[in-house]
Amino acid sequence: MSGPRERLLAERERVASRLRDLEGDHRGVVEASRDTNADDEHDPEGATIAFERSQVDALARQARHHLDEVDAALARESAGDYGRCERCGSEIPAERLDVRPTARTCVTCA
Ligand SMILES: [Zn+2]
């Protein structure tokens, strides 16, 4: 039986490690592009690298955003506001928090 704090900290660790992986991938992609003749924009290889880089960027942005959400949920938890809807102030059902530990609102207000 773990409380919301443990769950959020575990979630934070999971997302932070994913972000580290993505940032590692990003460096890998950038380095790979330096090794090839990626300066030729008609080079199909260069286009693939640009595409991969934008995919990795998008995923890293999502992960960073999610990390912010987890931190905000941890701050609410510390303040004693965790699990309360930000809009109507009613309690967010535990099943919803199981699925989305970072939920700020109840289903009705979402
Ligand atoms: Zn609500």
Side-chain angles (χ1 to χ4, degrees):
M1 180 70 199
S2 64
R5 186 163 190 87
E6 285 70 31
R7 197 161 43 184
L8 286 166
L9 287 172
E11 177 89 350
R12 190 177 201 291
E13 188 43 50
R14 198 179 59 78
V15 181
S17 124
R18 173 154 174 70
L19 188 56
R20 276 194 298 275
D21 285 352
L22 285 168
E23 283 168 348
D25 282 355
H26 187 268
R27 261 193 302 281
V29 172
V30 172
E31 272 157 27
S33 72
R34 274 199 216 98
D35 293 342
T36 61
N37 292 325
D39 47 16
D40 179 3
E41 56 183 74
H42 300 295
D43 181 358
E45 190 85 10
T48 307
I49 288 164
F51 177 73
E52 276 174 15
R53 194 173 350 188
S54 72
Q55 292 292 98
V56 172
D57 275 346
L59 289 171
R61 248 197 321 274
Q62 278 172 20
R64 259 180 237 115
H65 175 73
H66 191 61
L67 211 52
D68 287 348
E69 290 288 298
V70 173
D71 282 341
L74 278 166
R76 291 197 297 280
E77 201 275 334
S78 301
D81 289 333
Y82 183 76
R84 198 175 310 144
C85 174
E86 277 186 351
R87 296 246 170 87
C88 69
S90 68
E91 241 174 71
I92 303 174
E95 308 83 71
R96 177 162 163 76
L97 290 172
D98 280 344
V99 182
R100 278 195 63 189
T102 58
R104 294 164 179 269
T105 57
C106 68
V107 183
T108 318
C109 296

